[in-house]
Structures are given as C-alpha cells and as structure tokens.
Amino acid sequence: MTAVSDATDTILRLRAEVCALHEQLTRYQLVVWTAGNVSARVPGQDLLVIKPSGVSYDDLTPANMVVCDLQGRVVEGEHAPSSDTEAQAYVYREMPHVGGVVHTHSTYATAWAARGEAVPCVLTMGADEFGGEIPVGPFAIIGDDSIGRGIVDTLRDSRSPAVLMRNHGVFTIGPTAKAAVKAAVMCEDVARTVHISRQLGEPLAIDQQHVDALFDRYQNVYGQR
Amino acid sequence: MTAVSDATDTILRLRAEVCALHEQLTRYQLVVWTAGNVSARVPGQDLLVIKPSGVSYDDLTPANMVVCDLQGRVVEGEHAPSSDTEAQAYVYREMPHVGGVVHTHSTYATAWAARGEAVPCVLTMGADEFGGEIPVGPFAIIGDDSIGRGIVDTLRDSRSPAVLMRNHGVFTIGPTAKAAVKAAVMCEDVARTVHISRQLGEPLAIDQQHVDALFDRYQNVYGQR
Amino acid sequence: MTAVSDATDTILRLRAEVCALHEQLTRYQLVVWTAGNVSARVPGQDLLVIKPSGVSYDDLTPANMVVCDLQGRVVEGEHAPSSDTEAQAYVYREMPHVGGVVHTHSTYATAWAARGEAVPCVLTMGADEFGGEIPVGPFAIIGDDSIGRGIVDTLRDSRSPAVLMRNHGVFTIGPTAKAAVKAAVMCEDVARTVHISRQLGEPLAIDQQHVDALFDRYQNVYGQR
Amino acid sequence: MTAVSDATDTILRLRAEVCALHEQLTRYQLVVWTAGNVSARVPGQDLLVIKPSGVSYDDLTPANMVVCDLQGRVVEGEHAPSSDTEAQAYVYREMPHVGGVVHTHSTYATAWAARGEAVPCVLTMGADEFGGEIPVGPFAIIGDDSIGRGIVDTLRDSRSPAVLMRNHGVFTIGPTAKAAVKAAVMCEDVARTVHISRQLGEPLAIDQQHVDALFDRYQNVYGQR
C-alpha cells in the first residue's frame, strides 16, 4: 500500500460515510427537498467531502459526493458542491479539531433562530449534549466568508457543538461527521421540547453545577469504551 | 418519428412524471386521503395532464392520469379529472410561462390561509424560494373560474410561486411540475417554521436588500448548472 | 350459489375489508397501540364485523376480526370484540343508513373534545366533508348504551359524519366502513388545521351560503361517477 | 431439561423480547438517536436484560443486549449496559411486582417534566391507563441511586405506571417489559393531547368517580381474557 492509495481509500470511505449520513437527516425530518447537508474533513489532506448542490437525498451516491479543498474549490467530482461549502470550508480551516460539519433548517431550531433567541438549558439532554444553552450566531449572507465566520466566532468559546444562525438555520460540528449529525438531531429534539414546554409556562432552571456535572459525565462516561 | 408520435411520447412521459410527483406530496405529508394534486402542461399542445378525481394516491398509475384541454374538458382518459382542473386550466391559459401547478391543503400553510394572513419573510429559505412574503388570495368557490382568477391575480405581480387561497389551501406554480411540487414543499416548511417561531415572540425581520440578494442568488446560482 | 353461501361470502369480504382499513388509521397516525377500531355492518343480516379487543394493528388478519349481532354479542370469532362494540352496535340499530363506524382518539380532534368545544367551519374542506362545524357529544362512560346514545343523539340532526365525544375521542359514521374511515382522517386534518390557525389569531368565517354550496357540491359531484 | 438450561432459555427469550420492543420506541417516535431504552427482569434470578449504552436502534440484536445483576453489574454481554441501568436496577430491587422498565425523553411528556407539572386526567384514555394524573418525580442526577429512588418514591403510592422526572424525561413500569412500553406510548399520547387541548383553553375535568370506574374497568375487563 502506498501513501497515495491510502489517501484514495480514505476518500472512498468518506464518500460512502458522508452519503450514508444524509439518511439520518431525512429519517429525523431535519431537512426537506435538498435543503441540508453533511460534510467530512479528509484527515491530513486539507480536503473535505460534501453533498452536491440541489441533488435530491434519494439520488445521493458515494460517487456523486464532491471533494473540495479548504477554499471550497472542487478537486474531485462532476457536480457543483453544496452552496454551503464555503462556510463549511471556513470552519475546517479555523477549527482544526473539527472533523465534520452539518447544516439543516430543522423546524424548531430554526424557529428559535428566526427570533434570534438561544435555547435555554432546561433539560438534562441539553446539558449532556450542549453543556448549556444552544447559542445564536449573527445574520449572515451566503456567498462569502460571513457564515463561516459567524459559526466559528459563536462556537469557539462555547461547549455547544450547535449554533443557530439568525433567520437561517442550524450548523453543527463534531470530531467526526457522525458526531456532527448526532448534534443536529439532538439540537432539533432539544429545541422542540423546550419550545413546547414554554408554550404553557416557564420551564424550571437547572443549577449550573448540575449542568457542568451532566456535561462532564456525558462527554467522558457515556456509550461504549 | 412523426410529429404525432412525438406528441404521444410527450404525453406518455408527462403521465409518468405527474403520477410519480404525487409521491412527494404524501412523503412530505402535504395531503391526506385524496385532497391534493399535481398537473403539468403538455408543451405546445394546449393540453394538461392531471390526477383523476377522488382516486387514492396508492392507486395512481400513469395510465389513470387524465389529459384535458385548457378549458378543462377531458381529451384522453377514463376517469373524471381532479375537481381543481378548471382552476388549473385557467392558470395555464393566463400564464404561458407556467408548466406545472400543484394544489394542497397542507396544514400550516392552510392555517395562515384560514386567517387570511400572508407568511412574512423572516427566513433565508423564504427569501430564497419566495422572494418575500407568501401572499394570500381571495375566498373563491369551486365550480367556475373564480379560483383560477384568484390565483392568477395574486401571483401575476409577485415573485412567489405560492398563493394561500383564503379559507382553502395552497396553489403553487412553476416552470415544470417538479418545480411547482418543490414550491409546495417549501411553502409548508416556511409556513410551519414561521408559525412556530411566532408562537413564542416576534421573528426578526430581514432587510429588503438581503431578501433581494438571497432571491437573486438562489434563482440564478443554486444547484447544478 | 345458495343464499347461505352468499351470506358467507359477504362476511368473508367484510372481514378482509375491515382488517385492511385499519392500515389507514395507523398510516395517518390516528391511533396508538390498540386504541381505535373500524367496524362494518353486514348488509341485511343484523350483524357487524369489528376489530378484536386489545390486539396490535400488526397482528390483525381477516380471520381474527369478530362478527357480532347488533346487541354486541359474538356470533363468529375466537377473540373478544373491541370494547367499543356496544356503542357501535347501538349506532347500527338506530341509524339504518350507517354501514360503517370508526373510533379513534386522534390527537387534535380529541384536544377539542377535552375542552368540549366544536370545531368551527372555517375551511372549505370542513364545509365539503362536514357541512358545518364538527359537533361535540356528551361525556359518557363505557359499558352500557350511553356512548352509543350520545353518538346517535348528536349526529341524527347534523350533516357531520363525525362527533367529538367529550373528554374521550372521535366516532365517525358513513354509508360504508371506508367512508367512515375517510371521515375520521378528514376530522383530524380539519381539527388540526383549525387548531393551528387559531393559535395565532381568529380564523375568518365562511358565509353559511358558501358552506351549503360547498357541502352540496362535494356530496354530489366530487370523485368518479 | 435442567434448571440451568431453563434459566438460559428464559434469558435468550428475554434478549429477543427486549431487543424487539425497542422498535416500538422508534415507531412511535419516543426516542431519537440512542436516547431511550427498555429492560426486563429475569424472573426468579435477580437479573435484568437491558439495551447496551450508546448503540443505535438499527444495530440492536438479541446478542448485544446486556444481562446485569440487580446492582447493575454486567453478568453477561460484551457491551457496557445503558447508563440508566443503575436507576432501573433500583426499581427492580424495590418493586418486586415490576417486570419491565422503560425510559424515554418523549417530547410532550418531557415538556411537562421541564415545567415540573403533572399531566391532569382530562381524557378517558388517561383514566384508563394512569388512573389519574401522570405524576412528577424529583430532579435527580445520573450516577447513583437518586433517579431510582425518585421513580420508586413517586410511583409507590400512585396508580400511574409512568413518572415524569423533572427536567429529564419519562420512566414507566409494568408487570412485563411490553406493558411498560405500552405505558410509555400512552404517556406521550396523553401528554400530547392534553398539551394541545390546553393551548386554546382549559380542558374539562372528569369526575373522580368516573376516573375510578374507567381505571377499574380498563385494568380488569379490557383486551383478551
């Protein structure tokens, strides 16, 4: 095995993985039509793998995923990449620990984003996954670095892997694409439950010490070793 | 290939396409029972292809789609056409650029329609797809031209491909039937998200210049070239 | 063919039909677990076919449907019939034009029922299918005729095929079991859309003359001849 | 057949049963990602069978279920057990009639839990299944006996098989794992319907005598003998 064929294998594996993870977006109804996407960093290569733009989830295959460099330029693939590629490439450039990025307009999270309001931490699930509130990022127009910068500026000093971009939707990050998808699923679930709770009164606060303890335990103890 | 067999082929293709597009209406839960339909113009022939009336989505086949002229009279097919055929025929007569029309009673959009209230443009997705608010059309009774006229009068001077007909439901248009289906899916998604956002406060406005920039970019840059 | 084997054929056909119609209840999420059922009258025989009690929808077969007389006593079948059999038998006894009855606790309709509030007629779909508001029936305890009486007393002088039984759920009737299932689907759809509309304001009324015209047309013109 | 092989057979059967019951949690959308689980007591053996921690519902098999003693220590299985094992083991130790326990964060039930508010008994389905309101348990941190104690203290003197743990989610119990799953399904359904009813006014109360009569009948008469 040469280094070149190793790199090729890694990209092939990530094409399949990124393609398959989109099924979780439709399964949990986080996206409609073609409005949402998953990307993954290619480790050690300044590349990313992302959904093609405007292609239906039913028509996604490993082969039509697009490989771009971290400036968002296509390196491999016959399709135009997602229109969110620039934003996601910015995140990979600025946050070296990020291995996956997800974008959705999931309903409840986007409803908070339209009011520019963070989702308060009133559920143990919120403390587990987000370590506090789910923060709001700035209004930013597509087409330059401003969405990417808004994501990075908001998440850099937060424990949350999710940001609600104002009037727009959700971006989540994770060490892997799968972790970013999980954060997107959890973000919508928490945003929905807290929304519904607040419809009939005020949810009770969770003490900061408990939020810290829950976050710490979930990040370090939960799941299989 | 004669011109006649070309015309036959076009109709066969549109029968299959219109039939298949109804799956998107059920998939996104825009319709229940038989209450919603898709039609397509037959290019260059003053004909349209539409769902048969009162037939379950499970029982739709290319063969039971109905071909009508642009007065709504059956030209080909053994079933009565959708009861919305007159309204849709009117749209095709009056709006030559329209290649497809969709009608649904999707829940959230119809809830706005029941109050006679337009959906404000407070989401980037709303700016992308509708270029502003989703407008309301008049109350109109089925059985003559009044629904068709209401649709055309409302959409003629709007960037929106969707109209909320008062106390009734949604009609969407597009250059193709698929584009009209997409508009119906997006209309419900935007209507739902804005509704939920407003339940707990007032969504933030998006500046008109940004609405214009988003609409322009989405119409001209998004997707595959 | 003797009269006896004809009668047997009719019952076999209705066992299959009633069994299959339960799929519509789960498809439209009108029921959870085992809480809802469909029945059909056996024409000319003072019998009805109904779901067995407490059996999962996945486990329904034509063979485990239960045949009862119009007092609710089992005539054929190895299972206990639905606990709603007495109520439905009462309806068949008192309303000879009824060929099918459906019971659900579908969410939005039951939410109106819990407040004892009729669903107002503010949608053309409500005018089409219900000819006005969806009325509320009395609170009634299971185990005697009181539910059946409540249904019949409420629907006898109404155009609506659906009644919201107070603090309980929905019963619908129709000339066939399929029509009663359709009414149950439409009832939830209308109850949901009107609920959501009213969350952000007051839906606009539809003039009585239009309600009448819509109801008349839908009952007489819609669908295949 | 020796006693030892009988015991092995029982555990094999429960592995399959517990695994399969998780399908009901996803079917009724009571859980997202890996956030919820089912367990069953192994009769007469001071053991329980439970979901592995952090494993996707798609990947569950009878073989990867985990067998623990009633202190929560793994006895059989290659995976770490659910992080809720300690809480559920406590319930089995303290409530000998309990044969199954289920945990979810189902949306509407958890929304009530976030406000620390019991779901009032305003539906016959609530009276049938819960015999009154669905009660709230204390806020409790994961990692010791406090969740288990909160569940037991709340349910010991209640007719309800479900408890809403504050800011957290739902735990349900039953004589079997299947009964506990049913209670979880019904809990969400009742929590949702009552929530929606209260959004537009106050649901009507049901007299205590009727609640008692409904509960008694449902526990003793409903279903197959």
Side-chain angles (χ1 to χ4, degrees), chain A residues 1-224:
Chain A
M1 271 295 204
T2 65
V4 171
S5 71
D6 273 1
T8 307
D9 285 355
T10 301
I11 289 176
L12 281 176
R13 183 179 55 72
L14 286 171
R15 281 177 174 279
E17 186 181 321
V18 168
C19 177
L21 282 167
H22 285 88
E23 290 167 29
Q24 302 299 320
L25 303 191
T26 53
R27 169 191 207 154
Y28 289 109
Q29 302 187 295
L30 306 187
V31 291
V32 297
W33 209 254
T34 64
N37 48 74
V38 179
S39 72
R41 182 197 293 272
V42 184
Q45 292 189 61
D46 284 352
L47 298 174
L48 62 88
V49 177
I50 195 165
K51 178 182 177 294
S53 180
V55 174
S56 164
Y57 297 108
D58 290 347
D59 297 333
L60 297 185
T61 62
N64 63 22
M65 297 296 110
V66 186
V67 182
C68 295
D69 66 22
L70 297 192
Q71 302 301 325
R73 289 174 299 225
V74 175
V75 169
E76 203 184 283
E78 295 177 18
H79 290 74
S82 164
S83 57
D84 300 303
T85 303
E86 277 166 298
Q88 303 196 9
Y90 187 95
V91 175
Y92 290 116
R93 288 205 307 277
E94 296 294 317
M95 301 181 106
H97 62 289
V98 168
V101 180
V102 170
H103 176 46
T104 80
H105 304 88
S106 66
T107 303
Y108 285 87
T110 303
W112 290 90
R115 291 194 310 272
E117 212 175 322
V119 182
C121 186
V122 294
L123 298 173
T124 56
M125 188 191 273
D128 286 348
E129 180 71 21
F130 302 100
E133 68 175 25
I134 304 175
V136 176
F139 180 83
I141 275 284
I142 201 166
D144 61 16
D145 276 354
S146 58
I147 293 179
R149 253 184 298 119
I151 299 168
V152 169
D153 289 351
T154 311
L155 294 184
R156 209 191 285 280
D157 302 315
S158 172
R159 294 199 287 209
S160 170
V163 52
L164 311 175
M165 293 298 283
R166 238 194 69 188
N167 297 97
H168 181 176
V170 180
F171 284 85
T172 60
I173 58 173
T176 62
K178 186 176 178 187
V181 170
K182 183 192 178 190
V185 171
M186 292 305 200
C187 176
E188 180 64 4
D189 202 58
V190 167
R192 176 171 47 229
T193 306
V194 177
H195 175 94
I196 289 170
S197 189
R198 263 190 46 184
Q199 287 187 314
L200 296 182
E202 206 51 47
L204 303 168
I206 303 181
D207 284 353
Q208 188 59 43
Q209 74 191 84
H210 292 141
V211 172
D212 294 344
L214 286 163
F215 181 70
D216 183 62
R217 181 189 160 88
Y218 192 73
Q219 301 302 317
N220 295 308
V221 179
Y222 185 78
Q224 304 300 323

Side-chain angles (χ1 to χ4, degrees), chain B residues 2-223:
Chain B
T2 65
V4 170
S5 72
D6 273 0
T8 308
D9 285 354
T10 301
I11 289 177
L12 281 176
R13 184 180 54 74
L14 286 171
R15 282 178 173 279
E17 186 180 319
V18 168
C19 177
L21 281 167
H22 284 89
E23 289 167 30
Q24 302 299 320
L25 303 191
T26 51
R27 170 191 207 154
Y28 289 109
Q29 302 188 296
L30 306 186
V31 293
V32 297
W33 210 253
T34 63
N37 48 75
V38 179
S39 73
R41 183 196 292 273
V42 184
Q45 292 188 61
D46 285 352
L47 298 174
L48 62 87
V49 177
I50 195 165
K51 178 182 178 294
S53 180
V55 174
S56 164
Y57 298 108
D58 290 347
D59 297 333
L60 297 185
T61 63
N64 62 21
M65 297 296 109
V66 186
V67 181
C68 295
D69 66 22
L70 296 193
Q71 304 300 326
R73 289 174 298 228
V74 175
V75 169
E76 203 183 284
E78 296 177 18
H79 290 74
S82 164
S83 56
D84 300 303
T85 303
E86 278 166 299
Q88 303 197 9
Y90 186 95
V91 175
Y92 290 116
R93 288 204 307 277
E94 297 294 317
M95 301 180 106
H97 62 288
V98 168
V101 181
V102 170
H103 176 45
T104 79
H105 304 88
S106 66
T107 304
Y108 284 87
T110 303
W112 290 89
R115 290 194 311 271
E117 211 175 323
V119 182
C121 186
V122 295
L123 297 173
T124 56
M125 187 191 273
D128 286 347
E129 180 71 22
F130 303 100
E133 67 175 25
I134 304 175
V136 176
F139 180 83
I141 274 283
I142 201 166
D144 61 17
D145 275 353
S146 58
I147 293 180
R149 253 184 298 120
I151 299 168
V152 170
D153 289 351
T154 311
L155 295 184
R156 211 190 283 279
D157 303 317
S158 172
R159 295 198 287 209
S160 170
V163 52
L164 311 176
M165 292 299 282
R166 237 192 69 188
N167 298 98
H168 181 177
V170 181
F171 284 85
T172 60
I173 59 173
T176 62
K178 187 178 178 185
V181 170
K182 182 192 178 191
V185 171
M186 292 305 200
C187 177
E188 179 65 4
D189 202 58
V190 167
R192 175 171 48 229
T193 305
V194 178
H195 175 94
I196 289 171
S197 189
R198 263 189 47 185
Q199 288 187 315
L200 297 181
E202 206 51 48
L204 303 168
I206 303 181
D207 284 354
Q208 188 60 43
Q209 74 191 83
H210 292 140
V211 171
D212 293 345
L214 285 163
F215 180 71
D216 184 62
R217 181 190 162 88
Y218 192 74
Q219 302 300 319
N220 296 308
V221 180
Y222 185 79

Side-chain angles (χ1 to χ4, degrees), chain C residues 25 38-39 98-102 161 172-185:
Chain C
L25 302 191
V38 179
S39 72
V98 168
V101 181
V102 170
T172 61
I173 59 174
T176 61
K178 188 179 178 184
V181 169
K182 183 192 178 191
V185 171

Side-chain angles (χ1 to χ4, degrees), chain D residues 62-180:
Chain D
N64 63 22
M65 297 296 109
V66 186
V67 181
C68 295
D69 67 22
L70 296 192
Q71 304 300 325
R73 288 173 299 224
V74 176
V75 169
E76 204 183 284
E78 295 177 17
H79 290 74
S82 164
S83 57
D84 299 303
T85 303
E86 277 166 298
Q88 302 196 10
Y90 186 95
V91 175
Y92 290 116
R93 287 205 307 275
E94 296 295 317
M95 301 181 105
H97 62 289
V98 169
V101 181
V102 170
H103 176 46
T104 80
H105 305 86
S106 67
T107 303
Y108 285 86
T110 303
W112 290 90
R115 292 193 311 272
E117 213 175 323
V119 182
C121 186
V122 295
L123 298 173
T124 55
M125 187 190 275
D128 286 347
E129 180 72 21
F130 303 100
E133 68 174 25
I134 304 175
V136 176
F139 180 82
I141 274 284
I142 202 167
D144 61 17
D145 275 354
S146 58
I147 293 179
R149 254 184 297 120
I151 299 168
V152 170
D153 289 351
T154 310
L155 295 184
R156 209 190 285 280
D157 302 316
S158 172
R159 294 199 287 209
S160 169
V163 51
L164 311 176
M165 293 298 283
R166 236 193 69 188
N167 298 97
H168 182 179
V170 180
F171 285 84
T172 60
I173 59 174
T176 61
K178 188 178 179 186

Side-chain angles (χ1 to χ4, degrees), chain C residues 24-59:
Chain C
Q24 302 298 322
L25 302 191
T26 52
R27 171 191 207 154
Y28 289 109
Q29 301 188 297
L30 306 186
V31 292
V32 296
W33 210 251
T34 64
N37 47 74
V38 179
S39 72
R41 183 196 292 275
V42 184
Q45 292 188 61
D46 285 351
L47 297 176
L48 62 88
V49 177
I50 195 164
K51 178 183 177 293
S53 180
V55 174
S56 164
Y57 297 107
D58 290 347
D59 296 335

